[in-house]
Amino acid sequence: MATIDLWVKDGHFSTPDGNSIYFWGLSKTAGGQAQIPGPHIVVRQGETVTVNLTNTLNSEPVSICFPGQPQVTVGGNPAQPQYGPGGSLLSFTNHAPPGGGTVSYTFTPNRPGTFVYESGTSPQTQVPLGLYGALVVRPADYDPDVASRKTAYGAGTATEYNREYLLITNEVDPDLHYAVEQGRPYPVRKFKPRYWTLNGRCAPDTMLPDNVPYLPHQPYGAMVMGVPGEKILIRMVGAGIDNHPLHTHGNHTRVVGLDGRLLRNGSRDLSFKRFTVLVEAGQTYDQIYQWFGLGYTPENPIPTTMPNLRNLGIGDAGWTMWSGSPYLGVKGDIPVGVVSFNEVGEYHLMLHAHEEHKITNWGEFPGGLMTMIAIYPSLGSGVGTLE
């Protein structure tokens, strides 16, 4: 049995343009800080899961829904909607009252896959405020030490992978967050995002490592890392209220699972390749990404003339992820005045929204739903794991 304890708290998260935005989030410990998105919940198919939720807010009840999970119970009874005086709907499921109230949910996942979890109480405001996260259910036969059983959907499903990453999308309208902080009404029909987030961060913060100390409420980075030929499992989760077309450079992805269901009908493989995946609100996509090198090295040079150095920077941003060399694992010259964040000559292939306004931070490029897929010459086995 897996027991997960979560505390609902408030805090302020940061954006790369210097803004500090009030939010509601979940903490893994009673003394910890709220985080956005909520902690990853990773369990195994057939394992009974209990999630204990404590609401430290004083303003209103909160709850958690687990879409895709069967027979969620509270206190031994089926979880059910909550109604107020006059029959008005208060919550889509049992909630924890404000001021320290608690509620416990129990369920047993019956199939592997990627799922969203989110508030079921006033979700039109509580989810955008930050009460959401991802639930990963591993197959019953999962074994990370056996290649044929390190899979997304079980042995024999052609979903083996070497590394895995979670990318959770959301949108931020600062007016909503400020209104809640001030205790003022907010008309949802005026929702107008100014920021778009991957794992609670806007680019370029998405490319920073996990748990950097200057982003205490946003612990999860969104950089995808691998080596040539590896199978990289990218689990995409649409936790907001908008749909986002996410596109990978360097290669198509093969979509193997949708909403926690393996794309297979009996022995017929229904997986498909996509140039861009439209991650819709509430949906999840499991995808396998691979990058294969062309085999060029300094001893086997690229048979074309390289552009002028000045034309290889990234516009007027003043920084680049480029190494200065076209060869994997080799670093070269960078244009004067451009800062390179390349580490060891790795390749950086962009992963971003194909709606241009979503790769900005309040109108300024670069930002929003953008990160990189970094292909390294080599990586340790501990990179690209979910716990």
Side-chain angles (χ1 to χ4, degrees):
M1 172 180 288
T3 300
I4 293 98
D5 298 318
L6 299 173
W7 284 261
V8 182
K9 301 183 176 185
D10 60 0
H12 290 79
F13 70 89
S14 301
T15 59
D17 57 359
N19 211 340
S20 179
I21 298 175
Y22 179 77
F23 79 106
W24 292 357
L26 297 164
S27 173
K28 292 186 286 188
T29 63
Q33 301 189 85
Q35 68 173 70
I36 183 171
H40 299 336
I41 299 177
V42 183
V43 296
R44 187 180 290 259
Q45 178 185 8
E47 177 182 33
T48 298
V49 181
T50 296
V51 177
N52 301 313
L53 182 68
T54 300
N55 180 10
T56 71
L57 302 176
N58 293 317
S59 53
E60 58 184 86
V62 297
S63 63
I64 298 179
C65 284
F66 299 93
Q69 303 310 313
Q71 301 177 349
V72 178
T73 63
V74 173
N77 299 310
Q80 53 190 323
Q82 303 296 298
Y83 297 92
S88 60
L89 180 66
L90 291 179
S91 175
F92 286 109
T93 189
N94 303 72
H95 55 70
T102 63
V103 63
S104 296
Y105 308 96
T106 299
F107 57 93
T108 304
N110 61 4
R111 68 176 195 271
T114 306
F115 305 88
V116 65
Y117 72 83
E118 59 190 0
S119 173
T121 307
S122 300
Q124 73 278 9
T125 55
Q126 291 194 5
V127 175
L129 278 171
L131 294 180
Y132 64 87
L135 167 67
V136 172
V137 180
R138 303 214 182 277
D141 63 356
Y142 177 78
D143 187 339
D145 298 322
V146 179
S148 63
R149 295 170 64 179
K150 186 178 180 181
T151 70
Y153 284 92
T157 60
T159 59
E160 297 88 355
Y161 63 89
N162 300 98
R163 307 180 194 274
E164 66 177 329
Y165 298 88
L166 262 171
L167 298 181
I168 307 173
T169 66
N170 210 315
E171 312 89 33
V172 177
D173 178 357
D175 287 347
L176 162 63
H177 294 248
Y178 186 69
V180 173
E181 183 177 20
Q182 298 297 314
R184 299 175 180 172
Y186 174 85
V188 175
R189 66 181 183 280
K190 292 188 176 181
F191 186 75
K192 185 175 184 179
R194 302 293 187 176
Y195 300 98
W196 293 265
T197 61
L198 278 175
N199 294 347
R201 300 182 184 180
C202 305
D205 289 348
T206 52
M207 293 171 258
L208 296 172
D210 290 352
N211 300 310
V212 289
Y214 40 90
L215 296 174
H217 298 288
Q218 300 148 275
Y220 300 132
M223 182 78 91
V224 176
M225 294 176 279
V227 304
E230 280 190 336
K231 293 181 177 179
I232 303 173
L233 174 62
I234 304 176
R235 302 176 185 266
M236 291 183 176
V237 178
I241 61 174
D242 197 0
N243 306 327
H244 304 294
L246 297 184
H247 164 60
T248 57
H249 286 215
N251 203 354
H252 291 53
T253 60
R254 183 168 66 90
V255 180
V256 299
L258 174 63
D259 293 338
R261 293 190 181 278
L262 175 67
L263 293 178
R264 173 171 290 195
N265 185 3
S267 60
R268 184 182 177 191
D269 181 11
L270 300 179
S271 67
F272 55 90
K273 291 186 176 181
R274 277 291 181 271
F275 173 77
T276 297
V277 173
L278 182 64
V279 181
E280 300 186 41
Q283 283 200 309
T284 68
Y285 284 85
D286 297 323
Q287 307 164 72
I288 303 290
Y289 178 92
Q290 287 183 280
W291 185 87
F292 300 96
L294 297 177
Y296 295 119
T297 68
E299 293 74 31
N300 179 30
I302 295 173
T304 187
T305 303
M306 291 295 292
N308 182 278
L309 275 181
R310 176 52 63 181
N311 296 327
L312 293 174
I314 298 183
D316 59 1
W319 54 268
T320 181
M321 308 302 288
W322 184 50
S323 68
S325 169
Y327 305 115
L328 184 64
V330 178
K331 300 194 71 170
D333 292 335
I334 295 295
V336 175
V338 175
V339 176
S340 174
F341 292 94
N342 194 282
E343 293 182 300
V344 293
E346 72 275 11
Y347 293 151
H348 288 265
L349 309 165
M350 190 178 291
L351 190 165
H352 65 103
H354 252 187
E355 293 178 333
E356 303 302 318
H357 66 287
K358 295 178 179 177
I359 53 174
T360 66
N361 296 327
W362 209 315
E364 290 293 326
F365 173 85
L369 292 173
M370 184 176 72
T371 185
M372 296 285 174
I373 299 175
I375 303 298
Y376 283 79
S378 63
L379 278 175
S381 60
V383 177
T385 59
L386 293 177
E387 297 177 353

